[in-house]
Amino acid sequence: MILKRWVFMSVVVMLGCCLGLVGCNYICTRMPVPAPLQLMLVMLTFLMSLILAYAMGLKFFPPSDEETIRPEIPRQPWAWLRPRGEGSRSGFPLNKSQVVIGRDVNCDVMVNHHSVSRRHAEIVRLAEGYLFRDIGGKNGCFVNGQRVQEYLLQDGDVIAVGDIQLDFEPPRRVETPVLQDAEHLSVSQLLSPEALPLDGGDFNYQGSAALPDNEEGTEVWRRPE
């Protein structure tokens, strides 16, 4: 469908340009027309042909469902480390599988403070979550005031490397809408004469009779928490 539309549009544009050139030459035989004005007439004809070709292409060859429907993939944001008491700073994104925290300029999260070692701690992204690990900080690593060697971070945890405290924010989960169980008619019921009243009488819908016993409901798969 796309190829047919583009071929049709190309033919229409070519015909429009040819007609524009013929019309411009005809006008030049009747009266003197400056060269810039001739170029403007040709460009105007080309633009009008392009617009007309696009409109006619959409009319005769409308886009298919594959062209118009695009799957919407929810964007999963990264986890963040937010400095405490510094609202003007946005924080540090944990956008790598292994993020090193320290005073060294090569660290992913550089904290320029005398209480922080050159390579103080790291955060490793696992399937279970984000693992906070001490890798030799001279002043230790703390989570919610408790010194730890390794700790699986949770939402709202406050980690400390030296005297610097950081709030941990996990990625925001995109909630999948729960589909409501809908009562439905099978194909055989829809084609049967009893599916709809033909005599104009009242139509009493019975939900329990609409769902056969041998039909299975739709399963809704959800991401495990």
Side-chain angles (χ1 to χ4, degrees), residues 18-152:
C18 292
L19 291 177
L21 291 174
V22 172
C24 184
N25 291 331
Y26 177 77
I27 295 175
C28 292
T29 58
R30 295 292 182 178
M31 64 181 67
V33 180
L37 184 57
Q38 296 181 23
L39 181 61
M40 290 181 59
L41 290 175
V42 173
M43 294 299 297
L44 181 61
T45 305
F46 173 77
L47 182 61
M48 294 179 61
S49 301
L50 185 61
I51 297 174
L52 181 62
Y54 182 76
M56 294 178 64
L58 291 179
K59 180 179 180 180
F60 292 109
F61 303 98
S64 59
D65 294 339
E66 290 78 7
E67 297 180 56
T68 55
I69 299 177
R70 295 290 185 270
E72 295 183 0
I73 302 176
R75 180 177 178 270
Q76 183 75 3
W78 305 109
W80 287 80
L81 292 178
R82 308 285 186 181
R84 306 204 88 191
E86 299 185 17
S88 60
R89 299 181 60 183
S90 59
F92 306 99
L94 304 179
N95 54 2
K96 297 173 60 177
S97 59
Q98 184 178 10
V99 176
V100 179
I101 307 173
R103 198 174 70 250
D104 194 279
V105 293
N106 295 322
C107 292
D108 302 297
V109 178
M110 189 185 69
V111 182
N112 188 14
H113 195 269
H114 63 86
S115 63
V116 180
S117 302
R118 296 180 63 85
R119 292 175 59 89
H120 198 112
E122 66 177 0
I123 296 179
V124 182
R125 185 171 59 194
L126 305 176
E128 298 81 6
Y130 289 81
L131 181 66
F132 178 58
R133 179 186 298 163
D134 188 350
I135 58 174
K138 62 180 180 180
N139 292 323
C141 296
F142 298 82
V143 176
N144 300 327
Q146 301 294 325
R147 185 163 186 169
V148 297
Q149 184 65 32
E150 290 185 351
Y151 184 85
L152 191 62

Side-chain angles (χ1 to χ4, degrees), residues 179 181 216-220:
L179 299 178
D181 293 335
E216 297 180 356
T218 301
E219 294 182 357
V220 180

Side-chain angles (χ1 to χ4, degrees), residues 133-179:
R133 179 186 298 163
D134 188 350
I135 58 174
K138 62 180 180 180
N139 292 323
C141 296
F142 298 82
V143 176
N144 300 327
Q146 301 294 325
R147 185 163 186 169
V148 297
Q149 184 65 32
E150 290 185 351
Y151 184 85
L152 191 62
L153 295 173
Q154 305 293 329
D155 186 11
D157 285 339
V158 179
I159 69 174
V161 287
D163 296 336
I164 303 301
Q165 293 184 338
L166 303 166
D167 290 326
F168 173 74
E169 294 182 5
R172 296 183 179 88
R173 295 184 178 273
V174 179
E175 296 294 336
T176 304
V178 180
L179 299 178

